[in-house]
Amino acid sequence: MSQDVSENRTDALTDPAVGLPVVPEVSLPTEPPVGSGPANHPPGNLGPQRPAVRCSGRNARIPGPVAPLSPAPAGAETRRADNGPPRAVRWPVDPARNHAVERYWSPRQNRSAAAWPATRPFIRTRGRHAAMSRRQRWEGRYVRALVLADLMAGIGGGAAGFGLRFGDQVTAYNQAYLVVSALLPVVLLAVLAMSRAYERRYLFVGADEYQRVIRGGVGLIAGVALVSYALDLDLARAYVLAALPSAIGSVLVLRFVLRKRLHLARARGEALRRVIVVGHELSVIGITLQLRRERYHGLEVVGACLPPGAGGLEVDLPVYGTFEDVAAAVAQADADTVVVLSCPELDGAAVRRLAWRLERDEVDLVVASALVDVAGARTTIRPFDGLPMLHVEHPRLHGGSRLVKELVDRLGALLLLALFAPVLLGVALCVRLTSRGPVLFRQVRVGRDGQIFRIFKFRSMYVDAEARLNELRHLNEHDGVLFKIRDDPRVTPVGRWLRRFSLDELPQLLNVLSGQMSLVGPRPPLPTEAAAYADDVRRRLAVKPGMTGLWQVSGRSDLPWEEAVRLDLRYVENWSLSLDLVILLRTMTAVVRSSGAY
């Protein structure tokens, strides 16, 4: 019985979730011999000697305390005589004799508690990596918020369909539709779960989440139509056309709001994954700078592992060792993700062994592909004679999907022109009454496949702006072929407000309606800019230019030229309707934020 009680105490003292006070140092032998008597105890102020206790098992090898001394509470000296070597424990134990809390109490914070910052209020789950415990908590809250938002969208869609078709009166005829409206949220949740819209690898960033929501919504509408036709159900078409699309649209909007809320939290340093980057110096520096600039990805680089003989990094980033020290670096940096960059030293066998070492603590392993800016939809793994081969599909520059994009662009431009007609009229009056010159500014731009067209914009500069360009060219603040000045003296006072909220670009809807531009695409360049393009940059001209794009929603003129080109090429290579929808939604927040608009 004494052995069981001692073992339980030892387990409790070594539990990382228990904060222990500092134990006073006592000079006890590290390995007392079994069956030792009073003569084996060292002299000291331990009180009167008592019969020794025969120890066995783990209790025979308990090391002495090594923590620094801690002042004892008042009155402890009077009880020290009672704290000699423990006696054999027999059941029942008298609780009054247990003075362990009083003996080892200290007002000073111990080292284990001081090592954790106050900004991490969590209790580690037993058997799980501490960083993974934190990540599991905020990811779980995010998924639960998604489920609640989808339920609200289903309730709203059912109420909208019922209200638009039947009004607010419940009759014997529409009672069945009332039941259908009540079941719609549950059915919507089931469809989204079958579409894998709650899997965490598709959430937080990227267009995969919205693609799965749209796919599930289309499948739900098609399933309802098929069941209605097969069972000859007399469903009101107005109810179906109002309830289901409104529910799917509400799901997309609410998920977008939750994601933007998550991105704002990540900008404040919350809900981030702690990442160890493994690779060569230049690759590590590049990925570190990019992730620090794009915080919404949620990856915070906290350390790196470099090849043997590396000279260090030029960024403020600790180096935890070589490729063999990755597992130890994860523990030291309290990381939960390891990103392995492309390098010849880490082949398939080395990455497999690293995955085995990280598996115990559930640390995520991410292998960066050498294929730059190629989306997962274009890559598939195909076996070839037992070897997995990565097959890369060509980008969708032609075909039926482009016809669908053309139709969406034309209809969207027509709808937006009707919606913004009062705004267009008001802006035109402001431009006309505040400065001399025409309301619209026409300029030659380069479109798809190098075709020339005239772009329409509200005039935001004075009439002689083009003539004064050479005088200001030495003040260019952009590092590429673009000419940008933050405080351009050629811009009118009204034009500054138009540029800040991108109202000067609304007339480009006429270019979209005529088929010269698209709602989403790369920025339309000037002929002089297109003439200075390198061969890789000319890839931007493979698609129609757009009113908005990845470059515009990621910082616009604040981005360096190389980053703007990379974003435009990413869009050209990985275009999809769902990506267009995401960019259009992000455009609204970019316009309100007005960062990089000058």
Side-chain angles (χ1 to χ4, degrees), residues 9 26 213 243 252 294 316 350 369 375 431-432 438 452 471 528 554:
R9 288 183 178 179
V26 182
V213 171
L252 292 173
E294 301 176 358
D316 184 16
S369 173
V431 173
R432 183 65 176 174
I452 302 298
E471 302 175 2
T528 55
S554 301

Side-chain angles (χ1 to χ4, degrees), residues 491-504:
V491 179
T492 63
V494 174
R496 297 188 186 279
W497 287 98
L498 297 181
R499 291 190 170 200
R500 180 177 179 180
F501 297 104
S502 300
L503 296 177
D504 60 323

Side-chain angles (χ1 to χ4, degrees), residues 109-166:
Q109 191 180 27
N110 60 49
R111 293 181 299 172
S112 299
W116 296 99
T119 57
R120 297 180 179 179
F122 83 105
I123 298 178
R124 172 180 171 178
T125 305
R126 185 183 296 274
R128 177 177 292 169
H129 193 273
M132 286 298 299
S133 297
R134 284 192 301 273
R135 205 186 82 189
Q136 293 285 349
R137 291 184 63 183
W138 69 259
E139 286 185 354
R141 288 196 300 266
Y142 187 83
V143 173
R144 288 192 293 271
L146 285 182
V147 173
L148 181 60
D150 295 342
L151 282 175
M152 293 174 57
I155 294 173
F162 188 87
L164 291 176
R165 176 59 179 84
F166 305 105

Side-chain angles (χ1 to χ4, degrees), residues 40 50 55 58 188 203 218 227 288 304 310 339 347 393 412 416 433 439 451 480 504 550 585:
N40 295 96
R50 298 187 180 184
C55 301
R58 289 192 299 172
L188 181 62
L203 304 178
V218 173
V227 171
T288 300
V339 175
D347 55 1
E393 301 287 347
L416 291 176
L433 297 177
V439 173
Q451 296 179 357
D504 60 323
L550 281 177
L585 292 175

Side-chain angles (χ1 to χ4, degrees), residues 135 138 266-267 269-274 295 298-300 336:
R135 205 186 82 189
W138 69 259
R266 286 175 170 176
E270 304 170 1
L272 297 174
R273 293 191 179 192
R274 298 176 61 84
R295 298 272 292 182
L299 300 177
E300 180 185 14
D336 55 54

Side-chain angles (χ1 to χ4, degrees), residues 19 126 133 178 227 239 269 297 335 357 366 420 422 465 506 523 545 596:
R126 185 183 296 274
S133 297
L178 192 63
V227 171
Y239 172 82
H297 286 290
R357 288 195 294 268
V366 180
F420 289 111
L506 286 180
R523 174 188 172 274

Side-chain angles (χ1 to χ4, degrees), residues 384-424:
F384 179 77
D385 196 16
L387 298 176
M389 295 292 182
L390 185 64
H391 185 82
V392 182
E393 301 287 347
H394 292 296
R396 294 175 293 178
L397 302 178
H398 306 280
S401 58
R402 284 293 171 178
L403 295 179
V404 175
K405 180 178 175 63
E406 291 278 350
L407 181 62
V408 171
D409 286 337
R410 304 288 181 92
L411 293 178
L414 186 61
L415 179 63
L416 291 176
L417 280 173
L419 182 64
F420 289 111
V423 179
L424 292 170

